[in-house]
Structure formats: structure tokens, C-alpha cells
């Protein structure tokens, strides 16, 4: 059988495209190299707890159209992301807000907090930041930087903050209210029952093959579709002929514990460099679970090697320039549509993935 579209990748981008194509009467085949659908938003139900297998995913958006769209496929709860940071034996609220400043400096008013930050900025004497450390101190002062940014960022990137370029931190939001809501977006929540269910509904009635590598599959089925939507790595598609795009990788250590509540919050960041993981996720708190046990995941960022699962694109000048070269090369293959996090070499929040997929549909259907 020949299809209108072969979609490579059963993640959110591929699933939205597949759903919209089918709705428009197109024939669609979806393949994925993993043994499951839903890509990095895959959640696995373990005795009633939906475990975010590839790290914490909180849906948030200010785009009502996207919010209404995604709500066609799930009912969302009223979860608000309010992470906590631990530095040594001290505990702080995130994002940086009056609760954070009050704990740091024993102050009560926004005026006092602003004065303290300004005093530390001036004392730093940094006018022209040359690296990430200088950039952060010039934005938020030394105390916030040393306790809540430095170690976490160095673990995330695997580099000393003095070796990282200043542009990584363009701004650091400071909130002078006692508000622990991490996002400023109008809409926020977790799908009741987990994210996998959303993708199952998007792909309902569509043929899906998991455990299927694109290169092997296309060799055996070269004329399977008129067009291909490719959500894998753009450089891998072209056999890395222009060079390898770089990523940071993350791996997770899951643990089931015989306690009903391990850390009291879904997300707790560990900001000391000496602690090897960046954060611990306690999955039951995303959906207000009442189970008498819990499941936690420790998150470890590490160097990415070719052939491993890529997570965060390293969007520095060198990699962005290489990606643009691949975009030029992709014009030689008009039958291939590149999209999603890996196809566009871009870190996307979930709402932006949905937005981009819907735009791609409008452009190509």
C-alpha cells in the first residue's frame, strides 16, 4: 500500500500532524524506533502513578487556541508548577521571588529585595559580562547566583560557568511578589491519566509501527509514501555529511519507595555542583496521588555521544550555523518535511510543538 504521508516519530509533533492529515482524508503511516508512542512525553502507569519516563513535563501556554486544541484529547487538572531548590541544608522557592529573597536575606518588602540585588550588582563592578558567571551576577547579584544558579547550570552544561558564553542567560526573571508559580502563562496543568493517552487519541485509527528504524524501513519500502514528515535528527537523516550537531543528554534513575510522600513536591532542584543529579521528580504529586508508596526519578545530565538519545540542543553559534547549512541541504529533498525538536534543532515547550505542527499542517496540506 502507498500512503500520502509517512510520519517518522510518534511524538507530539508527529501525532498532531498525523491526526490533522487523517482528518483531511489523507492516508498516513506512523513509524517510531522506540517500543512505544508519545516520544519524550511518554508516561507509564505504574500501579496508578503516571511516571514521566523522560523527565517532568508540565503543559503551559498563553495561546488559547493551543490550550483548547489539546483539551480535545485530555482533561487537565489544576497543577501549578512550583519547584523548590535545595542548596546544602537550605531550601528555597523558585522562581526567584519574594519567598526566595526573604529566606536569603531575612527581608520583608520588595523595596528591600531590589536594593539588595542592586547593591550586589554594583559591588560586582561588571559592566561588560564576558561569560555566563559574569552575566548572571550582573543580573541578579552574587547570593542568588552562587546558591541557586552556579552549580545547577554547571551540572546542566557539564562546564564551569566561567567557560560558558554569556548569551546562554539573556535574562533571569525576578518576581517581587510572594508567588511560587514558575510559569507566567495563562493556562497550565497536567493531563489526568498522563500524556500517553493524548497521543493514543491523536493516533486513533492510524496505522503505527513501533520498533521501526527509518533507514531500514525506507530501504525495504522506498516508495511507501508521497511525502515524509521526519521528526528525527536532521543531521542523522543526511548521514552527518556536514558534521554532527551537539546535544546534552539526560538519564534517569527511577526508584520505588515505601513511603507515601518522599519530598513533598513534584520537582526539587539540587543546586550544588557536588550533588551529581540536577533534580528529583516525585511523579505522584503531578496528579495529587494518594498511594501509600511513591516513585522518584533522579535526573543526571551528561555529555551526548552520537548514537545516544539526544535531549537538549546546544544552540551556540557554531551549532546554529551548522543547522542552517542542513536547512539549505534539506531544500534538495522537497518531499521531506522536517519538524519537531530534533528536525528543527530547537528546544520546544509542548505548546510550541503543537503550534509548530499545526502551522506545518497548514503549509503542507
Amino acid at each position: 500500500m502507498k500512503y500520502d504521508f509517512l510520519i517518522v516519530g510518534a511524538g507530539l509533533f508527529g501525532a498532531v500532524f498525523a491526526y490533522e492529515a487523517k482528518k483531511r482524508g489523507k492516508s498516513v503511516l506512523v513509524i517510531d524506533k522506540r517500543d512505544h508512542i508519545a516520544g519524550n512525553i511518554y508516561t507509564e502507569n505504574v500501579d496508578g502513578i503516571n511516571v514521566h519516563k523522560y523527565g517532568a513535563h508540565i503543559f503551559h501556554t498563553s495561546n488559547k487556541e493551543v490550550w483548547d486544541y489539546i483539551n480535545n484529547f485530555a482533561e487537565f487538572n489544576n497543577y501549578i508548577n512550583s519547584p523548590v531548590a535545595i542548596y546544602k541544608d537550605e531550601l528555597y522557592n523558585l522562581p526567584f521571588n519574594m519567598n526566595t529573597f526573604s529566606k536569603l536575606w531575612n527581608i520583608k518588602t520588595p523595596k528591600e529585595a531590589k536594593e539588595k540585588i542592586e547593591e550586589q550588582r554594583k559591588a560586582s563592578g561588571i559592566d561588560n559580562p564576558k561569560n555566563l558567571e559574569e552575566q548572571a551576577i550582573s543580573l541578579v547579584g552574587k547570593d542568588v547566583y552562587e546558591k541557586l544558579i552556579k552549580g545547577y547550570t554547571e551540572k546542566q552544561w557539564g562546564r564551569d560557568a566561567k567557560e560558558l558564553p554569556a548569551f546562554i542567560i539573556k535574562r533571569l526573571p525576578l518576581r517581587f511578589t510572594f508567588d511560587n508559580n514558575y510559569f507566567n502563562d495563562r493556562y497550565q496543568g497536567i493531563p489526568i491519566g498522563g500524556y500517553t493517552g493524548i497521543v493514543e487519541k491523536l493516533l486513533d485509527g492510524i496505522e503505527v509501527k513501533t520498533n521501526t528504524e527509518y533507514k531500514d524501513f525506507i530501504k525495504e519500502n522506498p516508495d511507501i509514501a508521497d511525502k515524509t514528515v521526519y521528526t528525527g535528527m536532521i543531521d542523522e537523516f543526511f548521514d552527518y555529511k556536514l558534521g554532527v550537531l551537539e546535544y546534552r543528554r539526560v538519564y534517569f534513575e527511577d526508584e520505588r519507595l515505601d513511603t507515601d510522600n518522599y519530598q513533598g513536591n513534584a520537582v526539587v532542584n539540587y543546586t550544588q555542583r557536588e550533588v551529581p543529579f540536577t533534580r528529583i521528580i516525585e511523579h505522584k504529586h503531578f496528579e495529587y496521588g494518594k498511594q501509600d508508596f511513591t516513585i522518584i526519578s533522579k535526573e543526571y545530565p551528561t555529555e551526548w555521544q552520537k548514537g545516544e538519545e539526544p535531549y537538549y540542543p546546544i544552540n551556540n553559534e557554531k551549532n546554529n550555523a551548522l543547522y542552517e547549512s542542513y536547512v539549505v541541504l534539506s531544500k534538495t529533498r522537497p518531499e521531506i518535511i522536517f519538524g519537531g525538536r530534533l528536525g528543527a534543532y530547537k528546544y520546544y515547550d509542548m505548546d510550541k510543538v503543537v503550534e509548530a505542527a499545526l502551522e506545518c499542517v497548514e503549509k503542507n496540506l
Side-chain angles (χ1 to χ4, degrees):
M1 181 175 170
K2 182 154 181 166
Y3 298 85
D4 294 316
F5 287 96
L6 169 66
I7 295 175
V8 183
L12 191 54
F13 187 99
V16 168
F17 193 101
Y19 175 84
E20 291 297 325
K22 178 177 179 274
K23 200 165 82 175
R24 288 161 172 78
K26 304 295 183 187
S27 56
V28 178
L29 172 65
V30 178
I31 65 170
D32 199 295
K33 65 180 181 181
R34 291 177 179 171
D35 62 0
H36 60 76
I37 60 168
N40 280 11
I41 65 169
Y42 176 66
T43 46
E44 182 178 44
N45 189 295
V46 180
D47 297 335
I49 295 176
N50 288 304
V51 177
H52 295 216
K53 292 302 285 184
Y54 300 92
H57 285 83
I58 298 105
F59 200 98
H60 59 97
T61 187
S62 290
N63 185 329
K64 188 171 188 308
E65 191 186 328
V66 166
W67 181 246
D68 290 344
Y69 183 85
I70 205 73
N71 272 266
N72 289 318
F73 306 99
E75 185 183 347
F76 281 75
N77 66 16
N78 61 345
Y79 176 83
I80 298 291
N81 190 30
S82 306
V84 166
I86 290 176
Y87 174 80
K88 296 185 176 175
D89 59 351
E90 300 163 17
L91 192 145
Y92 295 96
N93 291 102
L94 295 175
F96 311 134
N97 68 53
M98 284 303 298
N99 288 308
T100 323
F101 308 141
S102 163
K103 178 81 179 278
L104 263 175
W105 301 311
N106 194 27
I107 54 142
K108 295 183 182 66
T109 67
K111 182 173 181 288
E112 290 173 291
K114 287 175 184 174
E115 284 170 353
K116 194 81 181 167
I117 289 165
E118 193 50 41
E119 177 193 310
Q120 292 192 2
R121 280 173 176 159
K122 280 185 176 162
S124 75
I126 299 164
D127 294 322
N128 183 24
K130 294 178 182 63
N131 55 50
L132 185 144
E133 176 164 292
E134 291 183 0
Q135 174 78 339
I137 292 170
S138 72
L139 289 169
V140 296
K142 203 169 180 186
D143 290 346
V144 173
Y145 168 70
E146 290 194 338
K147 292 191 174 186
L148 300 175
I149 298 170
K150 179 177 162 64
Y152 191 92
T153 305
E154 289 180 342
K155 286 189 283 191
Q156 195 78 0
W157 291 93
R159 309 276 184 283
D160 189 284
K162 292 190 186 75
E163 295 169 18
L164 291 166
F167 73 76
I168 289 175
I169 294 183
K170 294 188 173 71
R171 61 186 188 87
L172 286 166
L174 299 171
R175 193 178 285 171
F176 294 98
T177 58
F178 291 89
D179 178 7
N180 298 324
N181 181 357
Y182 195 78
F183 302 118
N184 292 316
D185 287 315
R186 169 69 181 83
Y187 308 103
Q188 181 176 173
I190 299 281
I192 296 165
Y195 285 98
T196 304
I198 291 177
V199 178
E200 281 172 350
K201 284 183 182 164
L202 284 163
L203 296 176
D204 187 36
I206 292 169
E207 194 180 343
V208 179
K209 292 178 187 291
T210 52
N211 294 307
T212 303
E213 282 280 357
Y214 170 72
K215 288 272 163 89
D216 300 334
F217 181 77
I218 210 68
K219 251 183 216 161
E220 290 168 22
N221 306 277
D223 301 313
I224 192 78
D226 292 331
K227 287 212 158 190
T228 296
V229 176
Y230 189 85
T231 68
M233 296 188 291
I234 190 169
D235 54 344
E236 183 182 45
F237 179 87
F238 289 108
D239 298 317
Y240 308 103
K241 66 159 65 169
L242 304 178
V244 178
L245 290 165
E246 295 174 306
Y247 292 84
R248 286 293 283 168
R249 180 174 163 251
V250 182
Y251 71 91
F252 303 92
E253 254 177 27
D254 299 338
E255 210 177 331
R256 181 178 174 134
L257 303 171
D258 290 325
T259 176
D260 67 334
N261 190 356
Y262 174 73
Q263 62 185 14
N265 208 42
V267 181
V268 176
N269 291 0
Y270 285 77
T271 62
Q272 257 180 287
R273 179 82 191 253
E274 295 70 29
V275 178
F277 46 86
T278 47
R279 57 185 182 173
I280 297 179
I281 300 156
E282 188 170 7
H283 301 271
K284 70 188 297 181
H285 294 308
F286 288 126
E287 296 184 65
Y288 312 108
K290 299 282 187 264
Q291 297 86 352
D292 59 3
F293 71 99
T294 196
I295 296 172
I296 63 167
S297 299
K298 291 177 180 171
E299 194 170 305
Y300 296 83
T302 182
E303 292 292 333
W304 173 82
Q305 304 292 331
K306 199 165 85 173
E308 293 178 329
E309 194 61 52
Y311 278 82
Y312 301 107
I314 300 177
N315 289 120
N316 56 20
E317 287 173 27
K318 180 185 85 169
N319 282 299
N320 288 346
L322 179 56
Y323 167 69
E324 288 304 329
S325 301
Y326 275 113
V327 171
V328 172
L329 184 58
S330 74
K331 305 283 192 257
T332 65
R333 299 292 303 273
E335 78 284 10
I336 311 290
I337 300 160
F338 292 93
R341 183 176 53 95
L342 305 178
Y345 193 64
K346 187 176 185 180
Y347 178 76
Y348 275 124
D349 284 328
M350 284 177 288
D351 64 323
K352 296 293 186 281
V353 172
V354 173
E355 224 171 89
L358 291 173
E359 280 171 17
C360 189
V361 166
E362 289 306 316
K363 203 167 144 188
N364 292 284
L365 283 174

